[in-house]
């Protein structure tokens, strides 16, 4: 559905640590991605929030040095690398404090592909972006339209079955879905352009 990129103007604005609007936008966009990332890298659930905070602090401290390498998802790969380094430091500290209770396997896995974004993480990022945008546009649509959209597009239920269950035509579901998807795309584009 989407191939989102972080808008360059947002990245530039992040260099100014006083630009709270830019940071709120960044955190809103990236926090779900970072939570999933640190979870996949083996950070225990009890520590994931703290590690995400550490990643955000690390990004704030080094974003002014980020340079676009011209490749796909350059900024996200950089964010991934920063997060990976924070997780390695966290795991190393944990291993020192709790000797003999694991963490080595996760460190070894992370060292195998330092700059590659895991396709599952990329997919999760897109999913989180769509969920985020959906939350922002939901109030713009009638409840019946939203239920029809969610049931057929997100849950994958049959359009005819959903139409019958909520008492609307299949044509109205297709029209509602189209309008909602367009608004979601527009919302994501507004943030990422």
């Amino acid at each position: 559905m989407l191939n989102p990129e972080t808008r360059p103007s947002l990245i530039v604005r992040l260099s100014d640590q006083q630009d709270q609007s830019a940071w709120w936008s960044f955190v809103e966009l990236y926090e779900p991605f970072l939570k999933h990332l640190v979870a996949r890298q083996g950070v225990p659930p009890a520590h994931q929030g703290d590690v995400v905070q550490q990643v955000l602090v690390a990004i704030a401290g080094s974003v002014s040095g980020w340079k676009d390498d011209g490749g796909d998802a350059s900024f996200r790969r950089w964010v991934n690398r920063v997060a990976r380094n924070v997780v390695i430091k966290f795991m190393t500290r944990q291993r020192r404090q709790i000797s003999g209770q694991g963490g080595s396997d996760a460190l070894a896995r992370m060292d195998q592909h330092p700059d590659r974004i895991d396709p599952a993480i990329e997919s999760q990022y897109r999913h989180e972006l769509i969920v985020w945008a959906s939350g922002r546009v939901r109030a713009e649509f009638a409840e019946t339209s939203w239920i029809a959209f969610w049931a057929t597009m997100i849950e994958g239920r049959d359009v005819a079955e959903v139409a019958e269950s909520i008492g609307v035509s299949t044509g109205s579901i297709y029209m509602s879905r189209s309008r909602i998807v367009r608004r979601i795309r527009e919302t994501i584009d507004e943030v990422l352009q």
Side-chain angles (χ1 to χ4, degrees), residues 8 18 49 114 120-121 149 160 163 175 192:
Q18 303 304 313
I121 291 173
F149 161 75
M175 286 178 47
L192 299 180

Side-chain angles (χ1 to χ4, degrees), residues 5-6 8 11 63-78 81:
E5 288 293 329
T6 307
I11 298 169
V63 71
S64 61
W66 174 78
K67 301 279 186 242
D68 187 353
D69 65 10
D72 288 340
S74 175
F75 185 69
R76 267 181 288 151
R77 280 186 285 110
W78 178 79
R81 188 171 40 244

Side-chain angles (χ1 to χ4, degrees), residues 32-186:
F33 170 71
L34 292 172
K35 284 179 181 173
H36 187 73
L37 186 75
V38 299
R40 282 191 50 98
Q41 292 180 341
V43 174
H47 298 286
Q48 289 172 3
D50 290 339
V51 173
V52 167
Q53 284 299 109
Q54 292 170 24
V55 171
L56 291 169
V57 168
I59 289 170
S62 58
V63 71
S64 61
W66 174 78
K67 301 279 186 242
D68 187 353
D69 65 10
D72 288 340
S74 175
F75 185 69
R76 267 181 288 151
R77 280 186 285 110
W78 178 79
V79 167
N80 188 54
R81 188 171 40 244
V82 170
R84 178 184 158 273
N85 290 339
V86 169
V87 169
I88 288 172
K89 286 180 187 173
F90 169 79
M91 296 289 219
T92 302
R93 279 194 312 268
Q94 288 294 105
R95 192 171 44 188
R96 283 189 204 133
Q97 292 173 356
I98 308 169
S99 62
Q101 292 196 1
S104 298
D105 292 342
L107 287 173
R109 280 193 315 268
M110 286 188 289
D111 281 340
Q112 289 176 351
H113 304 287
D115 282 342
R116 192 188 75 178
I117 293 181
D118 183 336
I121 291 173
E122 184 71 12
S123 175
Q124 181 66 25
Y125 169 74
R126 289 186 181 126
H127 173 79
E128 295 289 347
L129 202 53
I130 292 168
V131 169
W132 168 81
S134 297
R136 292 198 113 181
V137 304
R138 181 178 182 164
E140 298 175 21
F141 298 95
E143 188 66 17
T144 304
S145 297
W146 190 261
I147 289 170
F149 161 75
W150 199 264
T152 60
M153 293 292 287
I154 306 300
E155 295 174 355
R157 292 174 48 199
D158 181 66
V159 172
E161 174 222 331
V162 172
E164 185 176 325
S165 70
I166 61 175
V168 299
S169 69
T170 56
S172 70
I173 288 181
Y174 287 117
M175 286 178 47
S176 297
R177 288 182 358 173
S178 175
R179 288 184 299 121
I180 292 171
V181 167
R182 186 175 62 243
R183 277 299 296 139
I184 289 171
R185 285 178 190 251
E186 289 170 356

